[in-house]
Amino acid sequence: MDFQGKHFLSTRELTLDSLAAVFRVADLLAPVAQGRATTRVLEGAVLGSLFFEASTRTRLSFEAAFQRLGGAIVNTTGFTFSSIAKGESIYDTARVVAGYVDTVVMRHPEERAIHEFAEATHIPVINGGNGAGEHPTQALLDIYTIEKEFARIGRPVNGARIALVGDLKYGRTVHSLIHILSLYQDLTLSLVSPEPLRMPAELVEHARSRGHTVEEHDEVARGVAKADLIYATRVQKERFAEGELSADYAPDFQISLGILNAHGLPHTVVMHPLPRDSRPGANDLAQDLNTDPRLAIFRQTDNGVPVRMALFALTLGVADGIEKTFQPARWWRPERIGPDDAEFYRPGKAGA
C-alpha cells in the first residue's frame, strides 16, 4: 500500500512490499528511537492521541514516536473527558478533532468506531486498537520483531513453525498478526487455546487459503512442541459478553521456563504483546522466563517506537531523506535499558 495521506486501520491492507517499506524506515530511525540521535522532520505537526480505552504501551509509544520526530501532541483519555460523554457522535468528534491536528491515532472499545471516525475525515487516522477487532500497529511491530529475532538465530520466517497461545478469540493482537503471517510462505501455525477461546473460524480459513498448515490444540505441550516462535497472550476477560463464563485457564496452560525447556527448542523465541497478567491464578506468561535470552518481550516493546515512527514518517510524507536530518543526541543513555536484557541486544551489537 501507499501510506502517504492514507488511513491505516487494518493489516488486511498490507503486502510484503509495504512491510519492507515500513521496516526500512524503522531501521533508519532506530537510533532516534533509542535516544542516540535526533530529528525534527515533523516539527510543527500535531498528533491527536485519542484513547477511549485503557492503554500504557500503545499510547506512550505512539506519543514518544511522534515527539521523537519533532512533533507535538494533544490528547484525551477515556470517555469522561470527551464530548462523547455528552452524546456527541463519532462523526462529529472526528470532524472537530481533524480541524485541530495533522494525524490521529485512536483506540476505542467498539470495533466499528475507528471506521466511522476515518470516514469523517481526510487526515490520516491510525487504528490503535478497536475492541476485539484488530491491533494493526502491534502486528507491525510484532512481525518486525519476528524478522529481527529470526535473523539473529539464522532462521527465515518462511517455513517456520509458529505457536499462538492463549485467548485467540478476543485477542485482537493475534487477529492482526495472523493476517500478516499469512503473507509469508509455508508456515505451520499452531493455534493453542482452551476450547471456548479458539481463533475465529474465518481467520483460520484465511490462513489455510494462503497455503499454510493450521493446527488447533487445547494442550500446550503438543501445541508448542518444536516451535520456532511461541506468541503468548493473556485472557481478555474484559471483552467477554455479559453472562459469558470465563474459560478455565489452568496452570498447565502457562508458558513457563519448564514448558519451554521441555517442549521448545534451544532457539525458540518467546513473545507476548503485554500486559502480562502477573496476578496469582492468572497463569499468563511466567516470570521465571525473565532472564532467559529467548524471551523477547522487551525487545518487542522497544521495537514499537521505531515502527510507529516509520508509520508516521511514511503517512505524513517525510520519510525520503530523513537520515540527512539526524543530529547526535547530547544526553546520556545506558548501554542496556534493563538489568535482565540479553547481552546480544546491546545497541550496536548484531541483532540489536
Side-chain angles (χ1 to χ4, degrees), residues 211-231:
H212 302 294
T213 299
V214 182
E215 305 170 356
E216 294 186 271
H217 298 280
D218 59 7
E219 181 184 336
V220 167
R222 290 181 60 196
V224 305
K226 300 188 186 315
D228 298 295
L229 168 70
I230 298 172
Y231 188 102

Side-chain angles (χ1 to χ4, degrees), residues 174-195:
V174 289
H175 297 172
S176 292
L177 182 57
I178 200 167
H179 268 284
I180 290 187
L181 288 171
S182 294
L183 297 174
Y184 290 80
Q185 296 178 11
D186 194 29
L187 299 179
T188 297
L189 298 172
S190 179
L191 309 181
V192 190
S193 68
E195 178 68 24

Side-chain angles (χ1 to χ4, degrees), residues 34-249:
Q34 295 166 358
R36 301 178 187 284
T38 66
T39 178
R40 307 293 298 173
V41 291
L42 288 185
E43 187 170 15
V46 179
L47 167 67
S49 178
L50 309 181
F51 279 76
F52 300 107
E53 187 179 52
S55 174
T56 303
R57 277 152 298 281
T58 301
R59 182 174 63 84
L60 292 182
S61 66
F62 265 117
E63 294 182 4
F66 207 78
Q67 289 182 319
R68 292 281 193 194
L69 292 170
I73 298 162
V74 294
N75 60 56
T76 189
T77 303
F79 290 97
T80 304
F81 301 103
S82 162
S83 289
I84 290 177
K86 303 174 185 177
E88 185 173 62
S89 69
I90 291 288
Y91 182 96
D92 286 1
T93 298
R95 178 58 188 86
V96 169
V97 172
Y100 303 153
V101 301
D102 300 290
T103 185
V104 164
V105 57
M106 186 174 89
R107 170 173 285 191
H108 198 285
E110 297 175 10
E111 289 187 37
R112 178 62 192 161
I114 188 72
H115 300 281
E116 293 177 11
F117 193 101
E119 287 163 4
T121 178
H122 293 306
I123 71 166
V125 176
I126 297 173
N127 184 357
N130 60 321
E134 283 204 60
H135 197 345
T137 63
Q138 178 70 45
L140 268 182
L141 74 91
D142 286 344
I143 198 65
Y144 181 74
T145 302
I146 290 168
E147 290 209 355
K148 293 283 188 189
E149 294 293 315
F150 277 33
R152 177 180 61 79
I153 64 178
R155 207 232 181 279
V157 178
N158 290 333
R161 179 177 177 83
I162 295 175
L164 306 180
V165 183
D167 183 350
L168 307 185
K169 179 178 180 179
Y170 294 110
R172 61 191 172 196
T173 60
V174 289
H175 297 172
S176 292
L177 182 57
I178 200 167
H179 268 284
I180 290 187
L181 288 171
S182 294
L183 297 174
Y184 290 80
Q185 296 178 11
D186 194 29
L187 299 179
T188 297
L189 298 172
S190 179
L191 309 181
V192 190
S193 68
E195 178 68 24
L197 299 178
R198 293 173 67 173
M199 181 75 76
E202 63 271 19
L203 295 175
V204 174
E205 290 311 309
H206 174 74
R208 284 179 174 149
S209 74
R210 300 281 302 191
H212 302 294
T213 299
V214 182
E215 305 170 356
E216 294 186 271
H217 298 280
D218 59 7
E219 181 184 336
V220 167
R222 290 181 60 196
V224 305
K226 300 188 186 315
D228 298 295
L229 168 70
I230 298 172
Y231 188 102
T233 64
R234 70 181 178 88
V235 175
Q236 308 274 312
K237 292 182 180 179
E238 69 273 19
R239 304 201 190 285
F240 284 17
E242 187 174 352
E244 186 175 4
L245 295 176
S246 173
D248 287 336
Y249 203 64

